[in-house]
Amino acid sequence: MTDIKTRYRYGKPDGDGRTPVYVDGADEPAGHVWKRGRGSLPWWSEGCGDSGAVYYHSSKRAAAEQLVRMVDVRAQVDRIITGRRARHTQAPTGWRFASWTEIEREGYRQVRPVHRAPYVYGDQGERYPDTFADQPVTLTRVTTLHNGCVVVSGTEPGDRPPYVLLMDPAHVALGALVREQEPRYIAPGECMGCEQDGPLYQAGTRLGCATCTAADLGVSAADLPAAVDDDGAVWWSVGDTVRRKGEIPDEDAEPETGRVTEIDTFIAERTRRIAVDFGDRWPVRWQPAGLAPVS
């Protein structure tokens, strides 16, 4: 173990008698020590960037060693923060992260949401995925609220009550786990395996019908993705400005416009419903195909 006395060196005192202390050969000082008074704790230490926090010591050596310990604490905190941030991309074996937008677009039926999302450090708003649902949740609905929060609904394996999870925006940004080999719905066509016509799914490089794809992956055909199919040309997001197609109050007026305040994506039904505030008392729910962007 390295002797703490060999880890620091003193620099040249400044005009106020404050001596910089350099730790582990760093070019910048970890802090300063200086002597004030004649009591039992005449030596003071202050770390750089500590916002004026001062510590009192019996000797100059004790003051310098306090700065070494502070460097070690910062390094440990940095390692913890780095490790927590790395978990954004460290998915369990056989799984990968997918954004909630991808999950909605592709209609992924079975996902493992982030169940515990603590702050990376303090309460600065950044979160990291700590724990996930033990078993995949079969999604039925994903609702994005006006404030960026998201509510997901579904069912869990076994005799359990309906599954509901409310996530704040930083929690939403973590996404959820989907299987690495999760197939994607492509289009109707002929299956490469059984040569039957029907909806085709792509898993890796293989195209197959729902029955063959489910058999290859060892899952139920009912759990295969069902991409949204609502004839909407635009993938709307909360906060977008929209207009009602074909509704012009009179020849001189602009088409009536509003703001998207809430979106429901019904996974199993492959549809979306858009709540739009047109300035009336209550938002109006629309199918995406009935709305157009404001040019």
Side-chain angles (χ1 to χ4, degrees), residues 39-83:
S40 61
L41 300 173
W43 283 91
W44 293 14
S45 67
E46 179 185 17
C48 292
D50 282 347
S51 302
V54 176
Y55 301 88
Y56 311 98
H57 312 276
S58 60
S59 66
K60 184 178 183 180
R61 175 183 59 80
E65 290 180 357
Q66 170 66 21
L67 295 178
V68 175
R69 287 190 290 270
M70 292 169 65
V71 167
D72 291 342
V73 169
R74 290 195 188 98
Q76 182 180 16
V77 170
D78 288 343
R79 286 193 295 270
I80 292 173
I81 291 174
T82 299

Side-chain angles (χ1 to χ4, degrees), residues 50 53 137 166 198 238:
D50 282 347
V137 174
L166 170 63
V238 167

